[in-house]
Amino acid sequence: MQLKVDTRSPREGVAVIVLSGEVDVYTSPRLKQEMVDLLNRGQVNLIVDLNGVEYLDSTGLGVLIGGLKRAREREGDLRLICENMRILRIFEITGLTKIFEIDRTEEDALAKLK
Amino acid sequence: MSTQDGEAVVELTIPGKPEYVGVARLAILGVASRMRFSYDEVEDIRLAVGEACTTAIERANGSRGPDQEVRVRCLIHPTRLVVEVSDSAPPPATAEPDPTTETALDERGLGGVLIRILMDDVQSVDESETGRRGVRMVKYVASAAR
C-alpha cells in the first residue's frame, strides 16, 4: 500500500493534510515535502489527519516532529487528528503524546488553532 | 526449511532500498499471523521488523549503496518467534550519534526505542566471521508456557 496525501485549506494560513495508507521510510519524504511546501507558502498552521493511516513508523514520526518544529519556527503550529487506537498507541509508547496535540475531529483541531 | 529441534525457518532477502521494507512487513505479517499471537502482538511484530529493516537500509545506503541486501530470518517455535534482521554493510566510518541529541531522537533513536518496547527480547547481532550486523528480536506467545 502506498501513501495518499490530500491537502486543502479550510481558511487562510491553515492547511489540512489528510493521509491514507502507510507512512514509512519509502513514503514519508513525500509528507515532508508537502509540509515544507505548505509552510513556505505561508500555510503555517498545519493539521495532519492520521485517521486513514494504516501504518506509521519512526520515519513518519520523525517527519511529523520536523513539521511541528518548522511550523513553530514560523509562529504557526501543527496539530494531529487521530482516533485510531493502534496509531495513538505508537505516540503513547514513544512519549510523543507530550509533544503533539492530538484531536478527535477536524472541528476540534480548527477551533484550537489560533 | 526446518532445523533439527523442530523450529521452522522462513528467510527473506530484500534489496537495501526503502520501497522493499513494505515487502518484508507483509512477509512478517504472514508469519506472525500463523502463530498464536493476538492482533495487537502481530502489529507490534510488524512494526518492530519494519523498524529493523529501515535501520539496516539506512545503514546500507550510508555505505556501499543500494546494492546491499537485507536479510530477514524468522525462526518459528511453538512458544516464540525469533526474527533476525541483518545486513553486511561495513560499519559506519563515524561514531553512532548520541541518542540523547535532538537529531538522533528525530531520525534514528525512535526506531530503536520502538523495537525495544514492542519485542520481549532484543539483542544486537555482530558476526565478525560473516561481517553481518543487525538485530535479533524475540516475541513470546503469551498463552504458551515458556
Side-chain angles (χ1 to χ4, degrees):
Chain A
M1 189 190 276
Q2 300 291 317
L3 176 67
K4 192 158 169 268
V5 182
D6 285 318
T7 302
R8 57 198 157 73
S9 179
R11 66 174 193 240
E12 179 92 25
V14 178
V16 179
I17 304 171
V18 181
L19 302 178
S20 51
E22 298 183 332
V23 189
D24 70 357
V25 64
Y26 180 50
T27 61
S28 59
R30 275 185 47 225
L31 172 60
K32 181 179 179 179
Q33 192 57 53
E34 180 72 7
M35 290 197 293
V36 167
D37 290 347
L38 288 164
L39 291 166
N40 287 341
R41 291 203 299 267
Q43 310 272 67
V44 296
N45 287 295
L46 303 178
I47 296 172
V48 183
D49 185 339
L50 300 174
N51 277 333
V53 171
E54 193 265 334
Y55 181 88
L56 176 72
D57 74 359
S58 63
T59 326
L61 292 173
V63 167
L64 291 172
I65 294 168
L68 177 67
K69 275 193 209 159
R70 288 187 190 93
R72 290 194 175 157
E73 280 165 12
R74 290 166 166 82
E75 297 184 351
D77 204 357
L78 181 148
R79 300 187 73 92
L80 304 175
I81 302 172
C82 187
E83 283 194 299
N84 177 335
M85 294 308 291
R86 181 71 215 164
I87 301 294
L88 283 173
R89 181 164 175 261
I90 298 168
F91 284 91
E92 278 159 14
I93 63 179
T94 51
L96 291 174
T97 44
K98 292 175 195 146
I99 294 175
F100 287 104
E101 300 286 348
I102 305 176
D103 300 300
R104 287 187 159 262
T105 66
E106 189 178 319
E107 290 68 33
D108 287 347
L110 279 169
K112 286 171 189 162
L113 279 176
K114 280 170 256 170
Chain B
M1 189 160 45
S2 65
T3 57
Q4 61 272 35
D5 61 355
E7 283 180 333
V9 180
V10 174
E11 197 173 296
L12 173 73
T13 304
I14 57 167
K17 296 177 183 174
E19 57 266 45
Y20 288 96
V21 176
V23 176
R25 287 201 303 265
L26 276 176
I28 197 67
L29 192 66
V31 168
S33 300
R34 290 176 53 86
M35 299 178 68
R36 286 186 295 150
F37 290 118
S38 68
Y39 171 78
D40 277 345
E41 287 167 334
V42 171
E43 288 294 313
D44 287 353
I45 295 164
R46 179 168 73 132
L47 182 52
V49 172
E51 293 292 349
C53 289
T54 299
T55 303
I57 282 170
E58 285 174 346
R59 194 162 52 218
N61 288 332
S63 57
R64 269 192 273 159
D67 294 341
Q68 194 69 46
E69 288 178 338
V70 175
R71 188 180 77 185
V72 182
R73 185 175 163 85
C74 309
L75 305 172
I76 303 162
H77 188 274
T79 59
R80 65 187 180 276
L81 172 64
V82 182
V83 187
E84 282 177 11
V85 177
S86 63
D87 62 82
S88 48
T94 53
E96 292 285 328
D98 178 350
T100 59
T101 65
E102 206 166 36
T103 310
L105 176 69
D106 288 2
E107 288 160 22
R108 302 179 63 149
L110 277 174
V113 168
L114 278 168
I115 292 172
R116 287 192 295 278
I117 293 171
L118 297 171
M119 300 299 274
D120 294 324
D121 191 13
V122 181
Q123 294 173 322
S124 9
V125 173
D126 194 344
E127 295 173 2
S128 52
E129 292 162 26
T130 59
R132 297 202 76 82
R133 299 166 74 235
V135 66
R136 182 175 190 269
M137 304 168 279
V138 184
K139 190 83 169 175
Y140 293 98
V141 176
S143 57
R146 293 187 188 177

